[in-house]
C-alpha cells in the first residue's frame, strides 16, 4: 500500500477565492504529479516534479501553480478560483524499483467553484 | 500526444473475454495499465518495460509491441469486479512523465 494523502477531499468555494490543495507522501519518492480529471473523463497531467525545487508544467494548460520545497510535500494552488476549475485533482508519486516504475495515487480532491 | 485507446466502451457478460488497445504516436519506453472504479483513484495493474514483453496477473495480461508503439490489455473470463475504466499510461525518455490514454469503460454484467 502506498502512503500518499490529499486534503481536502471535498471543497466548495466561491469564485475568486484562493485555494491550496495539499498532497503529501511518506515514501521518499522524488517524482510527483498532479492530474486533473473531470467525471468519467481522461486524466490530464497538469504539473510534475522531479524533486525538491524542480517543477514543470504538464500537457494540459492550467492556471494553477505548484511548489516543491520538501520531498514529501507537493501542494497545488489556485490564486483566483473560477467555475471552470471545478474538477477532481489527483496527486501521485512514482516509486522506482527493479521491476520498473509504479505510480501511486492519492484519493483525490474534488473541487467545486460556485 | 495522448495515447488513444480502443474501444471507448465495452459491455461484457461474466465469463467473456475482452481486449483493450492502446496506441501512441510517439516512441514508448514503458506502458502502464491502471483500472479506475467510479469515484475512486486509479489503481496500478501492471507495467511493461520493453517491446514484446508480456505480463499477466490472475486472468489479466498485457503485451507491448514497441515497434508498433502499441500495447494491449487482455481480460479473460471477466468477473464483475473487472468493471471500471481502464487507462494505459505511457512514459518516454528520462523524464518519466506519465501521460494517460483516453480510457476504456468496461462494464461486466451478471
Amino acid at each position: 500500500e502506498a502512503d500518499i494523502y490529499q486534503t481536502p477531499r471535498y471543497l466548495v468555494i466561491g469564485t475568486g477565492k484562493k485555494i491550496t490543495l495539499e498532497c503529501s507522501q511518506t515514501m521518499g519518492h522524488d517524482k510527483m504529479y498532479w492530474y486533473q480529471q473531470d467525471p468519467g473523463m481522461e486524466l490530464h497531467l497538469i504539473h510534475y516534479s522531479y524533486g525538491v525545487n524542480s517543477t514543470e508544467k504538464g500537457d494540459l494548460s492550467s492556471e494553477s501553480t505548484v511548489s516543491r520545497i520538501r520531498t514529501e510535500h507537493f501542494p497545488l494552488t489556485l490564486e483566483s478560483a473560477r467555475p471552470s476549475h471545478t474538477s477532481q485533482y489527483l496527486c501521485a508519486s512514482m516509486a522506482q524499483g527493479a521491476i520498473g516504475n509504479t505510480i501511486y495515487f492519492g484519493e483525490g480532491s474534488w473541487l467545486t467553484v460556485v | 500526444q495522448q495515447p488513444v485507446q480502443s474501444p471507448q466502451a465495452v459491455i461484457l457478460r461474466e465469463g467473456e473475454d475482452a481486449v483493450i488497445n492502446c496506441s501512441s504516436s510517439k516512441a514508448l519506453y514503458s506502458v502502464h495499465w491502471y483500472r479506475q472504479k467510479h469515484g475512486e483513484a486509479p489503481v496500478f495493474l501492471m507495467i511493461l518495460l520493453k517491446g514484446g514483453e508480456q505480463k499477466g496477473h490472475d486472468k489479466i495480461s498485457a503485451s507491448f509491441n514497441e515497434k508498433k508503439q502499441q500495447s494491449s490489455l487482455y481480460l479473460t473470463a471477466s468477473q464483475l469486479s473487472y468493471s471500471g475504466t481502464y487507462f494505459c499510461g505511457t512514459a518516454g525518455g528520462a523524464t518519466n512523465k506519465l501521460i494517460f490514454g483516453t480510457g476504456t469503460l468496461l462494464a461486466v454484467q451478471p
Side-chain angles (χ1 to χ4, degrees):
Chain A
E1 286 295 320
D3 295 321
I4 180 164
Y5 306 101
Q6 289 185 240
T7 57
R9 289 291 315 280
Y10 303 93
L11 180 64
V12 180
I13 61 168
T15 298
K17 298 290 186 183
K18 176 181 178 179
I19 61 142
T20 296
L21 304 179
E22 303 287 350
C23 177
S24 296
Q25 50 96 3
T26 58
M27 300 168 284
H29 295 163
D30 286 327
K31 295 181 174 65
M32 295 188 73
Y33 307 82
W34 276 103
Y35 291 88
Q36 184 176 343
Q37 185 183 35
D38 293 330
M41 302 299 285
E42 304 141 19
L43 288 143
H44 293 288
L45 180 66
I46 52 175
H47 298 284
Y48 60 103
S49 168
Y50 300 136
V52 172
N53 294 325
S54 163
T55 61
E56 300 281 346
K57 286 192 176 291
D59 291 352
L60 179 68
S61 176
S62 174
E63 293 167 348
S64 58
T65 59
V66 292
S67 62
R68 191 87 183 276
I69 299 172
R70 303 198 318 261
T71 297
E72 61 271 21
H73 199 211
F74 191 37
L76 181 145
T77 298
L78 276 165
E79 290 292 334
S80 180
R82 295 206 301 267
S84 61
H85 296 142
T86 295
S87 189
Q88 180 183 208
Y89 294 84
L90 286 157
C91 180
S93 68
M94 179 179 282
Q96 295 180 275
I99 60 168
N101 303 331
T102 303
I103 285 213
Y104 295 99
F105 284 90
E107 292 189 316
S109 293
W110 288 93
L111 174 66
T112 301
V113 184
V114 297
Chain B
Q1 185 175 358
Q2 180 180 28
V4 177
Q5 291 182 229
S6 62
Q8 286 184 315
V10 58
I11 300 174
L12 300 173
R13 295 278 183 198
E14 265 188 298
E16 292 182 338
D17 302 339
V19 180
I20 299 172
N21 300 302
C22 173
S23 295
S24 173
S25 58
K26 289 192 168 186
L28 300 177
Y29 292 85
S30 65
V31 178
H32 302 228
W33 283 98
Y34 290 79
R35 176 171 60 214
Q36 184 178 31
K37 301 267 186 185
H38 180 69
E40 299 178 7
V43 173
F44 172 79
L45 293 176
M46 64 187 75
I47 178 175
L48 299 101
L49 293 177
K50 54 189 176 183
E53 183 176 12
Q54 296 194 21
K55 279 198 170 180
H57 177 68
D58 198 10
K59 292 178 180 168
I60 300 176
S61 61
S63 63
F64 179 17
N65 188 322
E66 195 175 351
K67 281 187 178 179
K68 291 185 177 180
Q69 297 171 181
Q70 293 176 346
S71 177
S72 294
L73 186 73
Y74 307 93
L75 299 104
T76 306
S78 57
Q79 305 167 17
L80 294 176
S81 62
Y82 287 2
S83 293
T85 300
Y86 289 78
F87 291 98
C88 66
T90 61
T95 66
N96 281 315
K97 184 173 70 170
L98 188 64
I99 304 297
F100 284 92
T102 49
T104 296
L105 177 62
L106 178 77
V108 181
Q109 297 179 339

